[in-house]
Amino acid sequence: MHLMCIVGARPNFMKMAPILRELDGLSGIRTTLVHTGQHYDKNLSDIFFEDLQIRRPDVSLGVGSGTHAQQTAEVMKAIEALLIDLSKSESPIDRIVVVGDVNSTMAAALAAAKLHVSIAHVEAGLRSFDRTMPEEINRIVTDAISDLLLVSEPAGVENLLKEGHPPDRIHLVGNVMIDTLKSQIDRAKKQNILAELRLAPNQFGVVTLHRPSNVDDPKVLEGLLNVLSQTSREIPLVFPVHPRTRARIAEFGFQQFLDACPTIRWTEPLGYLDFLCLTSQAKVIVTDSGGLQEESTALGIPCLTMRENTERPITCEEGTSTLIGNSIELLAENLRRVLDDTYKSGYCPKLWDGQAAKRIAAILAK
C-alpha cells in the first residue's frame, strides 16, 4: 500500500509526525511525505522537521503565500500533477492522508477526489459552526469527500453522523497532537529557553495571537495589548509574535508596546521544543490557536482562548480552556482568577493518551 501524507503548515507537522513513525514501522506500507510549503518561514516550518525528528519531505512543492483561492489552486495543481505522475509508476498512490484544516488539507483532498484516490482525514468532524472562519470551510469540504474519517473527540463523531456520514467510515481514534506532546515533553523541558528569557517555572504566561478578529482591528488589538501590558506588571509574559501580528503592530503604530513593556518578552516564532518548554511550565496561556487549546488541556495549564467559538468543545467542557472572544473585560477577569489561583481545573479527555497514531496506523493498514 502506497500512502501520500500531506503537510503544509505548522500545525500539520505535530499531527503527522507520530503517524509517519507508526506507518514507517509497518511492513507492506510505503509512505511518501509531501510538504506543500504553505508555511515557508523557517521558524514556522523547517525547524519543525528537526524538532519533531521527522524525515525530510520526499517532495517539497514550495507553494508559499497568497490569497486563499491562490494558495488552494496552487496546491491542487501541484498535487494533481504529482498524483498523475505517480499513477504511471510501478507504485501509484492508493490513498492520501491529510491532517487538520489548513488550505493544503482541503486542496490536496480535492485534487485526490477528482482523480478517484481515496482520502483519510485525521481530525475529522471538528466544527466551530462559524463559516466566516476559512478553516471551517476547509473542514466541511475535506470531510465531505473523505472516505475515512479519523476523529479526535466525541463531538466530532456526533457532527459527522448528523451530517449523514456512514458510521462505518467514522473512527474515534484520539488526538495525535497529544501523541507528539507526550513523546517530546522530556526533550522539551531540557531546552534552555527559560534561562535565556530569565523565567522561573509556573511564574510566567505565554501569549499567541494571530487571528484577524484579534489583530486586524486596531481598537481590538490595542485593548488586548493594554490588558497584557498591565498583567505583565504582576507576572512576566512571553509573546512569540506571529508575522501577521507583527505586521499589524507596525501598521497601527503600536511599536511602543514592544519598547515600553520590559516584562513582556517579545520573541520571533519559536521551534516546537522551545515553545513546548514554555507552555508546559507556564502559569497561564492566552491564545487564539486551536492546537494550544488541546495541548494546554493535556498539560493542565489554564488557557484563555481568544475566540468566540471553538471546534474543540471538549477543551472547555472537560479541559482547562475558557472562551474569551476578544473581550478585554473577560480577559482581565480570567487572568485575575489565574493569578489568584481561583481558575477552574480540568482533566485530560479519554483517548488523549499518546496512542492515537497507533490506532490510526492500524486502521490505515487494514
Side-chain angles (χ1 to χ4, degrees), residues 52-231:
L52 299 174
Q53 300 173 310
I54 311 177
R55 71 172 195 259
R56 302 307 298 176
D58 300 294
V59 181
S60 295
L61 301 178
V63 166
S65 62
T67 68
H68 288 289
Q70 289 168 342
Q71 202 170 60
T72 300
E74 290 303 316
V75 173
M76 285 184 69
K77 285 160 58 179
I79 294 291
E80 179 187 59
L82 188 56
L83 288 170
I84 290 172
D85 186 48
L86 287 170
S87 72
K88 300 171 186 175
S89 71
E90 293 181 358
S91 183
I93 298 297
D94 296 295
R95 177 186 295 279
I96 72 162
V97 181
V98 293
V99 295
D101 53 20
V102 300
N103 288 340
S104 293
T105 302
M106 179 186 71
L110 281 168
K114 296 200 174 205
L115 292 174
H116 311 294
V117 176
S118 298
I119 305 157
H121 183 204
V122 177
E123 228 178 47
L126 298 183
R127 298 288 183 270
S128 67
F129 303 102
D130 178 2
R131 295 201 180 191
T132 66
M133 293 177 62
E135 297 91 343
E136 183 77 351
I137 305 302
N138 293 344
R139 288 188 284 263
I140 292 168
V141 172
T142 303
D143 285 343
I145 56 179
S146 297
D147 66 291
L148 199 52
L149 300 159
L150 304 163
V151 187
S152 60
E153 63 176 86
V157 174
E158 295 172 17
N159 293 334
L160 292 168
L161 291 173
K162 287 176 183 177
E163 291 172 10
H165 292 276
D168 61 350
R169 294 185 178 182
I170 303 169
H171 302 267
L172 181 61
V173 294
N175 193 327
V176 287
M177 286 275 284
I178 309 309
D179 289 25
T180 294
L181 185 153
K182 286 180 177 291
S183 70
Q184 301 297 327
I185 193 162
D186 288 341
R187 289 179 65 219
K189 286 187 175 180
K190 294 176 183 176
Q191 301 295 105
N192 294 322
I193 188 75
L194 264 68
E196 292 170 8
L197 295 175
R198 307 181 309 282
L199 299 169
N202 199 42
Q203 299 298 317
F204 65 93
V206 174
V207 180
T208 74
L209 296 173
H210 74 282
R211 292 187 183 272
S213 58
N214 291 321
V215 305
D216 282 4
D217 183 326
K219 288 185 178 179
V220 170
L221 182 57
E222 184 176 25
L224 296 179
L225 291 174
N226 273 321
V227 172
L228 296 173
S229 174
Q230 292 165 17
T231 301

Side-chain angles (χ1 to χ4, degrees), residues 218-258:
K219 288 185 178 179
V220 170
L221 182 57
E222 184 176 25
L224 296 179
L225 291 174
N226 273 321
V227 172
L228 296 173
S229 174
Q230 292 165 17
T231 301
S232 73
R233 297 172 187 170
E234 296 186 63
I235 183 172
L237 301 176
V238 183
F239 194 155
V241 186
H242 190 281
R244 179 192 187 96
T245 307
R246 190 172 291 280
R248 295 298 178 269
I249 287 173
E251 177 185 342
F252 301 149
F254 294 160
Q255 187 66 34
Q256 72 269 19
F257 285 103
L258 279 71

